[in-house]
Amino acid sequence: QVQPVESGGGSVQAGGPLRLSCVASKYPYCTYDMNWYRQAPGKEREFVSAINDGGRTSYADSVKGRFTISQDNAKNTVYLQMSSLKPEDTAMYFCKKMSFGSGCADNYWGQGTQVTVSS
């Protein structure tokens, strides 16, 4: 499965949690950054969070302290644990796989999973 596959989206009330998953196959000779982006209706796609092979993480200011990215390399899965959700977190969430190294450089987007937060 070259293209990432997201799951876990849904509808939740403000303040609630939700966990997204992204399954993406990897080649052992490549290095990877796994990213979460989101796009709300009428807005541009924006960066949410990222994790690299070494476990280094980064977050958009808007989600710091509320979202946590993690990965299970044995399952080729990246998670985005979202808590204290706000209506403004409503968006389609996309997983992006970025690969690096000789013969590896490429990017793949998943189809997205919808997150809807009601007030």
Side-chain angles (χ1 to χ4, degrees):
Q1 184 73 36
V2 176
Q3 187 177 21
V5 179
E6 305 95 334
S7 62
S11 296
V12 63
Q13 288 195 326
L18 206 58
R19 189 177 80 160
L20 306 183
S21 300
C22 170
V23 179
S25 61
K26 296 180 178 180
Y27 294 110
Y29 52 85
C30 301
T31 57
Y32 293 89
D33 281 353
M34 298 299 297
N35 300 258
W36 285 100
Y37 282 73
R38 67 186 181 186
Q39 187 168 19
K43 294 188 177 182
E44 293 188 355
R45 192 170 296 190
E46 64 175 5
F47 171 78
V48 175
S49 184
I51 188 168
N52 67 9
D53 283 347
R56 183 176 179 180
T57 60
S58 59
Y59 298 92
D61 288 343
S62 59
V63 306
K64 277 181 182 176
R66 300 189 299 121
F67 291 11
T68 302
I69 191 170
S70 62
Q71 60 190 352
D72 184 336
N73 291 325
K75 296 181 179 180
N76 286 336
T77 302
V78 175
Y79 303 99
L80 186 67
Q81 180 68 51
M82 306 184 292
S83 60
S84 302
L85 282 162
K86 305 175 182 180
E88 51 263 44
D89 294 317
T90 295
M92 183 71 79
Y93 283 71
F94 297 90
C95 182
K96 180 183 180 182
K97 181 176 74 172
M98 301 176 66
S99 54
F100 305 92
S102 179
C104 302
D106 215 332
N107 299 328
Y108 293 97
W109 289 92
Q111 292 296 313
T113 185
Q114 178 68 38
V115 172
T116 302
V117 184
S118 58
S119 58

